[in-house]
Amino acid sequence: MSKQPTLSDATLTVTNRYATLRFERDDVRNALTGTALIDDLCATIAWANANKDISCLILTGAGSAFSSGGNVKDMRDKVGMFGGSPSEISESYKNGIQRISRAMHSAEIVTIAAVNGAAVGAGFDLCCMADLRIGCENTRFGETFVNLGIIPGDGGAWFLQRLVGYQRAAELTFSGRIIDSEEALTLGLLLECVPKETLIATAERYASEYASKPPQALRATKRLMKLAQRQELGDFLDVCADVQSQCHHTEDHQRALNAFLTKTDARFEGN
């Protein structure tokens, strides 16, 4: 396994074939701007993509919030990425918060958001970028940009409507209202809502299950699911045929077949 990235505002732990990234800036409710969390998150995804011994990444926050998104005080004071001319702010978004959107969208590993508390603004959008979201009674979501006279500059409108459809996404975005875990579950934003004390254990159960699967096939399936969102069926089927032909020639496939036929558990290694 390659060396873990050096992180400033988050901690990274590895268990078997999955990792957990925990945001450690409870002092600012794990704000993504004005901290090193953008760098930490992007570095972790790059590390996981390159590390074939990792199949899944859990994201969670320390303290009361998952992430409050952008630092509102910095917006008020027009400092950091919110300072400068319009063109300078545009570049700050491209080289700042939008790096998360690109990194999450290009993640080859399965990503699970264990939403321990409030996730608003860019924090909510980060949850929407994950493959799965597990919540608890403290989970709160809000696409709150309009309340501050701004738009989802991290591309949140692109991710949210792919989860809940245009009409639901429009209502949440136009109103900027906060929803609780019960409504989030009803809308399909949460896969499951569990007591807070079992939140991480539940996310780990999913991560452990996915990490037990053939790693090459799991990553290929993740890439194909992303590709299916933007490609016509005919072109997509051609890609599936090519990828499938490669899967049939992997050691993972042979191990999985042997385990299935002998009714034993298969063990896989990163390739």
Side-chain angles (χ1 to χ4, degrees):
M1 182 177 293
S2 61
K3 183 179 178 181
Q4 293 185 18
T6 300
L7 307 180
S8 298
D9 286 346
T11 54
L12 181 64
T13 57
V14 177
T15 306
N16 296 326
R17 296 186 55 85
Y18 68 87
T20 301
L21 181 69
R22 189 172 76 162
F23 307 142
E24 301 285 359
R25 289 301 305 271
D26 183 41
D27 58 310
V28 288
R29 294 177 60 78
N30 296 319
L32 298 174
T33 63
T35 67
L37 289 177
I38 293 175
D39 290 338
D40 289 351
L41 178 56
C42 292
T44 298
I45 293 174
W47 166 80
N49 281 347
N51 193 330
K52 302 307 180 183
D53 292 320
I54 299 297
S55 291
C56 188
L57 176 65
I58 298 171
L59 305 175
T60 195
S64 61
F66 176 85
S67 174
S68 59
N71 189 306
V72 178
K73 291 182 179 179
D74 286 350
M75 293 183 198
R76 178 198 62 193
D77 298 337
K78 300 190 182 305
V79 298
M81 67 173 289
F82 309 115
S85 67
S87 63
E88 289 172 329
I89 294 175
S90 175
E91 287 301 310
S92 293
Y93 269 82
K94 292 174 184 177
N95 297 317
I97 196 74
Q98 289 184 355
R99 289 171 52 213
I100 290 180
S101 309
R102 295 186 176 93
M104 289 292 290
H105 194 57
S106 65
E108 296 182 9
I109 38 84
V110 177
T111 53
I112 301 174
V115 192
N116 54 293
V120 298
F124 177 35
D125 291 341
L126 173 56
C127 292
C128 293
M129 297 171 198
D131 296 306
L132 287 76
R133 287 152 299 281
I134 311 297
C136 65
E137 65 271 18
N138 294 341
T139 299
R140 297 291 184 273
F141 288 134
E143 192 74 339
T144 53
F145 299 93
V146 71
N147 298 339
L148 300 176
I150 56 177
I151 56 101
D154 58 351
W158 192 91
F159 292 96
L160 181 56
Q161 64 182 293
R162 281 165 170 75
L163 286 179
V164 298
Y166 178 82
Q167 181 170 248
R168 291 290 190 185
E171 192 280 321
L172 291 172
T173 306
F174 298 160
S175 68
R177 66 187 181 90
I178 302 294
I179 64 173
D180 61 18
S181 58
E182 182 178 352
E183 183 173 2
L185 187 63
T186 300
L187 292 175
L189 285 165
L190 291 177
L191 176 66
E192 192 172 345
C193 187
V194 299
K196 185 176 182 180
E197 58 267 23
T198 64
L199 175 65
I200 297 301
T202 302
E204 289 176 339
R205 173 168 53 84
Y206 282 101
S208 180
E209 178 183 359
Y210 304 145
S212 71
K213 304 299 181 183
Q216 288 178 298
L218 185 67
R219 289 191 179 218
T221 300
K222 167 78 181 275
R223 288 194 296 269
L224 287 170
M225 291 189 70
K226 291 291 187 180
L227 183 62
Q229 295 178 339
R230 62 182 188 273
Q231 196 168 45
E232 294 294 333
L233 177 60
D235 296 331
F236 182 68
L237 290 174
D238 288 341
V239 175
C240 288
D242 290 340
V243 174
Q244 188 75 306
S245 67
Q246 296 168 22
C247 287
H248 277 286
H249 284 268
T250 63
E251 292 184 6
D252 280 358
H253 176 54
Q254 293 305 314
R255 291 192 188 103
L257 282 176
N258 291 337
F260 179 81
L261 293 172
T262 59
K263 302 186 186 310
T264 58
D265 294 328
R267 296 182 64 85
F268 302 99
E269 300 177 358
N271 295 301

